Amino acid sequence: MKARILRHAVFLCCVAITALLLTGCNPTAGATIYEVIAPSGYTMNCYSYEEKFPIEGSSCYLKWEKAEDYGKTYDYDMQVLDENGSVLYEYPRRGSRTMRGILQEADRIWVCTEHWTAPHHNGYVEGWLKGSDLLLLDLSDGEILFQDKGGENEFYITSNDTRCYFYVPGKKESRKLFGLIRIPEENAAVYYRDTSDWTQKHMVYTFDYVAEPAIDTSNGVETCIKFYLSENQLKVAWTSYEPVGNENWEYLEKKAYEIPLTGNAC
């Protein structure tokens, strides 16, 4: 009888430990998160779960809808809404849960739909971006004027006319062919792609770090890169979520980079 009780107690302990391990398992723990702050003040980050997103500089919105065969494909449709919420245009299988849009002159909008794989977050976690789709749309008739893709971990920031700007994290040194070939490290960078030759990367700025700058985040529980967009300039601020006083917590800026953008980007 005692042996049976002991076995049952051991079994319950194992179940409890397994449950704790499962609930506490977070593969994104410690990863840097992103946040984009548009000139209007609208902010997108990993905690944003909206169904529709304002198109910067416009009264229109982007909205995602599950595709008809979502249960099989997990695809989303993308809608462009007017200021009253009426559907102007719909693009089957073009949407995602994470989208951003920015108005260009002559009723054109750039739209980025991103495909993230980070669990427990709606994207914006460094290292978990599978890819993105970039579309240039004509709001007057809904025509797709240009379309192409962003690569893995190539984070879309903003657009100006025919240029799309991206931030890419750095890469540590690696080796291939059993260590015979050395691939040197690469620092984080901002570059743009142009519709005239999308395959080319035009370097705008190279940072002084690979993984992160020399900053002290030992008192923080989360590191966030904040991308502040403004006319002709991008501010990239590294922040740490830390206690301030006895009760409050804030993102404290540790280091910032102000980067002029070629042309009239916003």
Side-chain angles (χ1 to χ4, degrees):
M1 183 68 177
K2 290 183 179 180
R4 182 183 300 175
I5 294 174
L6 180 60
R7 287 196 301 269
H8 185 65
V10 170
F11 172 77
L12 291 177
C13 288
C14 290
V15 170
I17 292 172
T18 302
L20 288 173
L21 289 174
L22 289 174
T23 55
C25 180
N26 181 6
T28 63
T32 299
I33 64 173
Y34 296 157
E35 183 173 88
V36 177
I37 302 95
S40 64
Y42 180 73
T43 300
M44 286 288 293
N45 56 40
C46 63
Y47 306 112
S48 303
Y49 286 91
E50 292 91 340
E51 292 185 3
K52 65 177 186 179
F53 314 89
I55 298 172
E56 185 67 19
S58 167
S59 59
C60 297
Y61 294 83
L62 298 172
K63 186 177 186 295
W64 57 263
E65 288 280 352
K66 291 182 179 179
E68 289 186 3
D69 57 351
Y70 175 81
K72 294 181 180 179
T73 64
Y74 298 103
D75 286 336
Y76 291 91
D77 299 336
M78 181 180 73
Q79 297 176 342
V80 178
L81 311 180
D82 66 14
E83 58 185 351
N84 299 315
S86 299
V87 178
L88 294 175
Y89 309 108
E90 188 165 18
Y91 303 87
R93 305 182 188 284
R94 294 285 190 175
S96 76
R97 296 286 296 269
T98 308
M99 300 189 289
R100 275 172 285 140
I102 180 172
L103 179 70
Q104 305 291 285
E105 59 185 55
D107 289 333
R108 295 178 302 160
I109 59 171
W110 272 106
V111 174
C112 178
T113 65
E114 295 169 336
H115 309 287
W116 297 85
T117 59
H120 314 303
H121 298 85
N122 189 27
Y124 294 91
V125 181
E126 186 167 278
W128 294 83
L129 178 58
K130 183 178 180 181
S132 57
D133 294 297
L134 278 297
L135 303 170
L136 182 60
L137 307 179
D138 189 335
L139 277 182
S140 65
D141 57 11
E143 180 183 358
I144 299 177
L145 303 175
F146 176 84
Q147 55 185 316
D148 216 307
K149 295 183 178 295
E152 184 177 2
N153 293 322
E154 189 176 53
F155 183 62
Y156 170 75
I157 302 170
T158 189
S159 296
N160 176 44
D161 195 18
T162 59
R163 297 175 178 177
C164 291
Y165 293 83
F166 299 88
Y167 171 85
V168 287
K171 296 180 181 179
K172 296 180 179 180
E173 177 184 312
S174 60
R175 292 183 178 272
K176 290 185 177 181
L177 293 179
F178 306 101
L180 297 177
I181 299 178
R182 173 182 171 272
I183 301 175
E185 67 179 20
E186 296 179 16
N187 283 16
V190 170
Y191 55 74
Y192 71 83
R193 295 182 185 272
D194 194 284
T195 57
S196 61
D197 187 357
W198 192 256
T199 61
Q200 295 297 313
K201 302 175 182 178
H202 303 271
M203 195 62 61
V204 175
Y205 190 86
T206 301
F207 293 91
D208 57 356
Y209 63 85
V210 176
E212 66 175 37
I215 55 177
D216 181 10
T217 60
S218 58
N219 291 327
V221 297
E222 186 174 77
T223 302
C224 177
I225 308 178
K226 294 178 178 282
F227 298 90
Y228 294 90
L229 310 181
S230 61
E231 187 176 1
N232 299 324
Q233 182 174 275
L234 166 69
K235 178 181 175 181
V236 180
W238 279 77
T239 66
S240 177
Y241 195 58
E242 300 181 5
V244 179
N246 296 327
E247 298 181 358
N248 297 326
W249 286 69
E250 295 180 6
Y251 283 101
L252 302 181
E253 186 173 299
K254 298 294 183 173
K255 188 169 185 179
Y257 304 81
E258 294 186 354
I259 305 168
L261 297 179
T262 305
N264 186 28
C266 62

